[in-house]
Amino acid sequence: MDIEKIRSEFPILRRTIYKHPLVYLDNTATSQTPNRVVESVVNSYTKTKSNVHRGVHTLSMEATELQESARRKVREFINAASIEEVIFTRGTTESINLVAASYGGAFLQDGDEIILSTMEHHSNIVPWQLLQRTKDIKIRVIPINAIGELDLNAYRSLFNEHTRFVSVCHASNVLGTINPIKEIIAEAHAHNVPVLIDGAQAAPHLKIDVQDLDADFYAFSAHKMYGPSGVGVLYGKKKLLEAMPPYQGGGEMIESVSFEKTTFAELPFKFEAGTPDFIGIAALHQAIDFIESLGIEQIAAHEHELLEYTTRRMLEEIPDMRIFGTAPDKCAIISFLVGNEHHYDMGMLLDKLGIAVRTGHHCAQPLMNALGVEGTVRASFAVYNTIEECDMFLTALHRVAEMLR
Ligand code: PMP
């Protein structure tokens, strides 16, 4: 892969921070956006902006076609069986809230149990807790082992006659661990239990085939995969989506409305109330094209090289380095602490040297509790990062660790 050519598509990477070249290692939080995605947004605003699915005029038909061709692209990207199974949302968070509220609201009852994991992002915990306000549902939690993998034996032992739903992440945003979700799904299905996969951290790095995985629901966000902010996807199996009640009411999601009786639109529109972010959705198409033009396996291989190189040097060179999450199968995410130094101080000082990393609990406080820390520093890589940037990060890390010592 010609990384310099790839980088030239990302003008933001030419920025300097405190007179240092920007080294952007906060890709887990959001990735940067290539020109073709930005151009799609500009083109929409300057050439085709019109509300979708409502007009007979040319602009409206063009805007609708841009949105619907993005839906076809997403279907192909995740190998969904039909476009009716591809619902556009605001992001992973909204996708999970949709399932918790709609599926959970309709099909979970008092006394039921659901299974989550220790490594879930708050967006795969809190929506289920909101459901607990109206239903007496028990949340059972899969523990992790010392290297940050899910304990699958413990997972199997959590099932009982009350288990009704499983919701776990494909990859952890803190540990990087890639979970064996095919196995996790198969186990749940053996108990007749449907599974939602939070794919926020997987979609930018891993080939997703929802039919091969046999996932019932799969959620992800465009902004983490070189796409625009404000757009996400919920994949759901058609028979489940058809059985579920609408999540929000409004325009676009109805067939007919009267004060006496309202009927709902067919899938996927039943779950897309109101004007969607049709401009962002069209831009997501370009983000997927970008990923496909490079090849997701090639992207992952490059990121893995950066991960291995940086992890090895961090452990060899920085005294008292602790890395959280060392599973053999992991995404290019390094969560770490140096001695007893505060993650926030490290992040602030690294920023002064041009290095953008994330600090804190990463919206995974239960995981932080399990790790026995309040927060970590997290460096995470994308396709445009280079070995030279890893070197700059390591040099900066040496300096910061020494300063704090
Ligand atoms: N799940 C995981 C694993 C994540 O990393 C994130 C984002 N940090 C989310 C869910 C939420 O994604 P969004 O904020 O785009 O809805």
Side-chain angles (χ1 to χ4, degrees), residues 25-64:
L25 299 181
D26 193 16
N27 294 289
T28 297
T30 197
S31 58
Q32 298 301 344
T33 313
N35 282 334
R36 69 183 88 183
V37 172
V38 179
E39 278 156 18
S40 167
V41 173
V42 173
N43 274 335
S44 288
Y45 276 112
T46 53
K47 299 200 180 98
T48 60
K49 186 179 177 209
S50 176
N51 211 330
V52 287
H53 293 302
R54 282 181 200 162
V56 290
H57 63 81
T58 302
L59 290 192
S60 180
M61 288 189 289
E62 287 177 3
T64 303

Coordinates of all heavy atoms in Angstrom, one line a residue, residues 25-64:
L25 N -3.5 9.5 16.7 CA -3.6 8.2 17.1 C -4.9 8.0 18.0 O -4.9 7.4 19.0 CB -2.4 7.7 17.9 CG -1.0 7.8 17.2 CD1 0.1 7.3 18.0 CD2 -1.1 6.9 15.9
D26 N -5.9 8.7 17.6 CA -7.2 8.6 18.3 C -8.3 8.0 17.4 O -9.4 8.5 17.4 CB -7.6 10.0 18.9 CG -8.7 9.9 19.9 OD1 -9.0 8.7 20.4 OD2 -9.4 10.9 20.2
N27 N -7.9 7.1 16.6 CA -8.8 6.6 15.5 C -9.9 5.7 16.0 O -10.9 5.6 15.4 CB -7.9 5.8 14.5 CG -7.0 6.7 13.8 OD1 -7.4 7.5 13.0 ND2 -5.7 6.6 14.1
T28 N -9.8 5.2 17.3 CA -10.9 4.5 17.8 C -12.0 5.4 18.2 O -13.2 5.0 18.0 CB -10.3 3.8 19.1 OG1 -9.3 2.9 18.7 CG2 -11.4 3.0 19.9
A29 N -11.7 6.6 18.6 CA -12.8 7.6 18.9 C -13.5 8.0 17.6 O -14.7 8.0 17.5 CB -12.2 8.7 19.7
T30 N -12.7 8.4 16.6 CA -13.2 8.7 15.3 C -12.0 8.7 14.4 O -10.9 9.1 14.7 CB -14.0 10.1 15.2 OG1 -14.7 10.1 14.0 CG2 -13.1 11.3 15.2
S31 N -12.2 8.3 13.1 CA -11.1 8.3 12.2 C -11.2 9.6 11.3 O -12.3 10.2 11.3 CB -11.2 7.1 11.3 OG -12.4 7.1 10.6
Q32 N -10.2 9.9 10.7 CA -10.2 11.1 9.8 C -10.9 10.7 8.5 O -11.2 9.5 8.2 CB -8.8 11.6 9.6 CG -8.2 12.1 10.9 CD -9.0 13.2 11.5 OE1 -9.9 13.8 10.9 NE2 -8.7 13.5 12.8
T33 N -11.2 11.7 7.6 CA -12.1 11.6 6.5 C -11.3 12.0 5.2 O -10.8 13.1 5.1 CB -13.2 12.6 6.7 OG1 -13.7 12.4 8.1 CG2 -14.4 12.3 5.8
P34 N -11.3 11.1 4.2 CA -10.6 11.4 3.0 C -11.4 12.3 2.1 O -12.7 12.5 2.3 CB -10.6 10.0 2.3 CG -11.7 9.2 2.9 CD -11.9 9.7 4.2
N35 N -10.7 13.0 1.2 CA -11.3 14.0 0.4 C -12.6 13.5 -0.3 O -13.6 14.3 -0.5 CB -10.3 14.5 -0.7 CG -9.3 15.4 -0.1 OD1 -9.6 16.1 0.8 ND2 -8.1 15.5 -0.7
R36 N -12.6 12.3 -0.8 CA -13.8 11.8 -1.6 C -15.1 11.9 -0.7 O -16.1 12.1 -1.2 CB -13.5 10.5 -2.2 CG -13.5 9.3 -1.2 CD -13.1 8.0 -2.0 NE -11.7 7.9 -2.1 CZ -11.1 6.8 -2.7 NH1 -11.9 5.9 -3.3 NH2 -9.8 6.7 -2.8
V37 N -14.9 11.7 0.6 CA -16.1 11.7 1.5 C -16.5 13.2 1.7 O -17.7 13.5 1.6 CB -15.8 11.0 2.8 CG1 -16.9 11.3 3.8 CG2 -15.5 9.6 2.6
V38 N -15.5 14.0 1.9 CA -15.8 15.5 2.0 C -16.5 16.0 0.7 O -17.4 16.8 0.8 CB -14.5 16.3 2.4 CG1 -14.8 17.7 2.5 CG2 -13.9 15.7 3.6
E39 N -15.9 15.6 -0.4 CA -16.4 16.0 -1.7 C -17.9 15.6 -1.9 O -18.7 16.3 -2.5 CB -15.6 15.5 -2.8 CG -14.3 16.4 -3.1 CD -13.2 15.6 -3.8 OE1 -13.5 14.6 -4.4 OE2 -12.0 16.1 -3.7
S40 N -18.2 14.4 -1.4 CA -19.6 13.9 -1.5 C -20.5 14.9 -0.7 O -21.6 15.2 -1.2 CB -19.7 12.5 -1.0 OG -21.0 12.1 -0.8
V41 N -20.1 15.3 0.4 CA -20.9 16.2 1.2 C -21.0 17.5 0.5 O -22.2 18.1 0.4 CB -20.3 16.4 2.6 CG1 -21.0 17.5 3.4 CG2 -20.2 15.1 3.4
V42 N -19.9 18.0 0.0 CA -20.0 19.3 -0.7 C -20.9 19.2 -2.0 O -21.7 20.1 -2.2 CB -18.5 19.8 -1.1 CG1 -18.6 21.0 -2.0 CG2 -17.7 20.1 0.1
N43 N -20.7 18.1 -2.7 CA -21.5 17.9 -3.9 C -23.0 17.9 -3.5 O -23.8 18.4 -4.2 CB -21.2 16.6 -4.6 CG -20.0 16.8 -5.5 OD1 -19.8 17.9 -6.0 ND2 -19.3 15.7 -5.8
S44 N -23.3 17.2 -2.4 CA -24.7 17.1 -2.0 C -25.3 18.5 -1.8 O -26.3 18.9 -2.2 CB -24.9 16.3 -0.8 OG -24.7 14.9 -1.1
Y45 N -24.5 19.3 -1.0 CA -24.9 20.7 -0.7 C -25.0 21.6 -1.9 O -25.8 22.5 -1.9 CB -24.1 21.3 0.4 CG -24.5 20.8 1.8 CD1 -23.7 20.0 2.6 CD2 -25.7 21.2 2.4 CE1 -24.0 19.6 3.9 CE2 -26.1 20.8 3.6 CZ -25.3 20.0 4.4 OH -25.7 19.6 5.6
T46 N -24.1 21.4 -2.8 CA -24.0 22.3 -3.9 C -24.8 21.9 -5.2 O -25.1 22.7 -6.0 CB -22.6 22.6 -4.3 OG1 -21.9 21.4 -4.6 CG2 -21.8 23.4 -3.3
K47 N -25.1 20.6 -5.2 CA -25.8 20.1 -6.5 C -27.1 19.4 -6.3 O -27.9 19.4 -7.2 CB -24.8 19.2 -7.2 CG -23.5 19.9 -7.6 CD -22.8 19.1 -8.7 CE -21.5 19.8 -9.1 NZ -20.3 19.2 -8.5
T48 N -27.2 18.6 -5.2 CA -28.4 17.7 -5.2 C -29.3 17.9 -4.0 O -30.3 17.1 -3.8 CB -28.0 16.2 -5.3 OG1 -27.2 15.9 -4.2 CG2 -27.3 15.9 -6.6
K49 N -29.0 18.8 -3.1 CA -29.7 18.8 -1.8 C -31.2 19.0 -2.0 O -31.7 20.0 -2.6 CB -29.2 19.9 -0.9 CG -29.9 19.8 0.5 CD -29.4 20.8 1.5 CE -30.2 20.6 2.8 NZ -30.4 21.8 3.5
S50 N -31.9 18.0 -1.5 CA -33.4 18.0 -1.6 C -33.8 16.9 -0.7 O -33.1 15.9 -0.5 CB -33.8 17.7 -3.0 OG -35.2 17.7 -3.1
N51 N -35.0 17.0 -0.1 CA -35.4 16.0 0.8 C -35.7 14.7 0.0 O -36.2 14.7 -1.1 CB -36.6 16.4 1.7 CG -36.6 15.7 3.0 OD1 -36.1 14.6 3.2 ND2 -37.1 16.4 4.0
V52 N -35.4 13.6 0.7 CA -35.5 12.3 0.0 C -36.9 11.7 0.1 O -37.7 12.0 1.0 CB -34.5 11.3 0.6 CG1 -33.1 11.6 0.2 CG2 -34.6 11.2 2.2
H53 N -37.2 10.8 -0.8 CA -38.5 10.0 -0.8 C -39.7 10.9 -0.8 O -40.8 10.4 -0.5 CB -38.5 9.1 0.4 CG -37.5 8.0 0.4 ND1 -37.4 7.1 -0.7 CD2 -36.5 7.7 1.2 CE1 -36.4 6.3 -0.4 NE2 -35.8 6.6 0.7
R54 N -39.7 12.2 -1.2 CA -40.9 12.9 -1.1 C -41.2 13.6 -2.4 O -42.4 14.0 -2.6 CB -40.7 14.0 0.0 CG -40.9 13.4 1.3 CD -40.8 14.4 2.4 NE -40.6 13.8 3.7 CZ -40.1 14.4 4.8 NH1 -39.8 15.7 4.7 NH2 -39.9 13.7 5.9
G55 N -40.2 13.8 -3.2 CA -40.5 14.7 -4.4 C -40.5 13.9 -5.7 O -39.9 12.9 -5.8
V56 N -41.2 14.5 -6.6 CA -41.2 14.0 -8.0 C -40.1 14.8 -8.8 O -39.9 14.5 -9.9 CB -42.5 14.1 -8.7 CG1 -43.5 13.1 -8.1 CG2 -43.1 15.5 -8.7
H57 N -39.6 15.9 -8.2 CA -38.7 16.7 -9.0 C -37.3 16.1 -9.0 O -36.9 15.2 -8.2 CB -38.7 18.1 -8.5 CG -38.2 18.3 -7.1 ND1 -36.9 18.3 -6.8 CD2 -38.9 18.5 -5.9 CE1 -36.7 18.5 -5.5 NE2 -37.9 18.6 -4.9
T58 N -36.5 16.5 -10.0 CA -35.2 15.9 -10.3 C -34.3 15.9 -9.1 O -33.7 14.8 -8.8 CB -34.5 16.7 -11.4 OG1 -35.4 16.7 -12.5 CG2 -33.2 16.1 -11.8
L59 N -34.2 17.0 -8.3 CA -33.2 17.0 -7.2 C -33.6 16.0 -6.2 O -32.8 15.3 -5.6 CB -33.2 18.4 -6.5 CG -32.6 19.5 -7.3 CD1 -32.4 20.7 -6.4 CD2 -31.3 19.1 -7.9
S60 N -34.9 15.9 -5.9 CA -35.3 14.9 -4.9 C -35.1 13.5 -5.3 O -34.6 12.7 -4.5 CB -36.8 15.1 -4.6 OG -37.2 14.2 -3.6
M61 N -35.3 13.3 -6.6 CA -35.0 11.9 -7.1 C -33.5 11.6 -7.1 O -33.1 10.5 -6.7 CB -35.6 11.7 -8.5 CG -37.1 11.7 -8.4 SD -37.9 11.2 -10.0 CE -37.6 12.6 -11.0
E62 N -32.7 12.6 -7.4 CA -31.3 12.4 -7.3 C -30.8 12.1 -5.9 O -30.0 11.2 -5.6 CB -30.5 13.6 -7.9 CG -30.6 13.6 -9.4 CD -29.9 14.8 -10.1 OE1 -29.3 15.6 -9.3 OE2 -30.1 15.0 -11.3
A63 N -31.3 13.0 -4.9 CA -30.9 12.8 -3.5 C -31.3 11.4 -3.0 O -30.6 10.7 -2.3 CB -31.5 13.9 -2.7
T64 N -32.5 11.0 -3.4 CA -33.1 9.7 -3.0 C -32.2 8.6 -3.6 O -31.8 7.6 -2.9 CB -34.5 9.5 -3.5 OG1 -35.3 10.6 -3.0 CG2 -35.1 8.2 -3.0

